[in-house]
Amino acid sequence: QRGGGQFDKAAQIITDNRVLFHRVANTLNYLDIRTVVVSCGTCYDQIAGYEFDQIFPGSRIVDIHEYLMEKGVHLNGVTGTRYMYHDPCHSPIKIHDPLKVVNQLMNASLNGQVARNDRCCGESGTLAISRPDVSTQVRFRKEQEIRIGVERLRGEGFKGDVKILTSCPSCLQGLSRYQDDAPMEADYIVVEIAKHVLGENWLPEFVARANDGGIERVLV
């Protein structure tokens, strides 16, 4: 809403959300909530103004990737895939250098160093919808950069799969549009880790466990 210039609507949503979070805090006052985990840089920037430290005293906001790195989560084996990283314009990785986080999570010692792939993807939240003419021009330049990155990874005769990873859901949507034009696949870092650490069926298995008593439902 803010990105689209609907500032009054954005203010209303922010107020409604803060009321809900206060209700959550009151209802779950027996829990010591210290960490609010987010998976989107735009959401991170937005809720940073929610003053969570007043709603959940002593809490912090952290990106899912930096949170996983803190917990020592990383790929344990070789995937057979080479990777490059698209750093979002609105990066959620705030504490450490994004490339450091990506290479530690992807276990660069086994899967090779992950280099940054430059340029905006052209999706940029609502840009692709509000200004498709501008977005399309941005995409042409990004496609060139992706092709250069793929050629660099294949420079030593590598014949396996190449993936471009990102830490932004909107960028993932944008990067997925290149898959028919550039020889690579796009994926979210956390999803790529989940596939290799938890197995290909990680999502339906997680949903099944969550539905079988894994969610605490709270009336707010």
Side-chain angles (χ1 to χ4, degrees), residues 139-156:
R139 289 185 67 251
F140 285 143
R141 186 62 183 84
K142 179 61 176 180
E143 183 180 331
Q144 292 178 354
E145 204 67 32
I146 290 176
R147 290 183 179 274
I148 292 171
V150 172
E151 290 174 5
R152 186 178 296 118
L153 290 174
R154 295 197 182 282
E156 299 177 357

Side-chain angles (χ1 to χ4, degrees), residues 70-189:
E70 287 180 7
K71 298 301 180 182
V73 175
H74 60 271
L75 292 180
N76 295 316
V78 177
T79 67
T81 301
R82 296 279 178 87
Y83 301 98
M84 49 188 171
Y85 175 63
H86 171 79
D87 197 17
C89 296
H90 295 172
S91 177
I93 301 176
K94 309 286 189 182
I95 304 171
H96 304 282
D97 179 80
L99 278 181
K100 174 188 175 182
V101 176
V102 176
N103 277 286
Q104 189 161 329
L105 292 176
M106 301 308 294
N107 201 340
S109 61
L110 296 179
N111 293 295
Q113 284 291 320
V114 182
R116 179 183 282 105
N117 190 262
D118 204 8
R119 301 285 178 172
C120 174
C121 69
E123 195 73 13
S124 302
T126 60
L127 175 63
I129 298 173
S130 60
R131 289 302 302 270
D133 54 335
V134 176
S135 177
T136 298
Q137 295 302 313
V138 173
R139 289 185 67 251
F140 285 143
R141 186 62 183 84
K142 179 61 176 180
E143 183 180 331
Q144 292 178 354
E145 204 67 32
I146 290 176
R147 290 183 179 274
I148 292 171
V150 172
E151 290 174 5
R152 186 178 296 118
L153 290 174
R154 295 197 182 282
E156 299 177 357
F158 177 70
K159 302 296 184 182
D161 295 332
V162 172
K163 282 191 173 183
I164 184 167
L165 302 174
T166 189
S167 54
C168 167
S170 179
C171 289
L172 175 59
Q173 180 173 300
L175 294 169
S176 297
R177 302 179 192 274
Y178 295 90
Q179 293 180 170
D180 293 334
D181 302 314
M184 60 85 205
E185 292 182 38
D187 216 336
Y188 198 57
I189 300 172

Side-chain angles (χ1 to χ4, degrees), residues 176-205:
S176 297
R177 302 179 192 274
Y178 295 90
Q179 293 180 170
D180 293 334
D181 302 314
M184 60 85 205
E185 292 182 38
D187 216 336
Y188 198 57
I189 300 172
V190 174
V191 173
E192 182 71 4
I193 294 174
K195 288 177 181 176
H196 292 283
V197 174
L198 303 177
E200 286 289 339
N201 293 322
W202 69 273
L203 182 55
E205 291 174 0

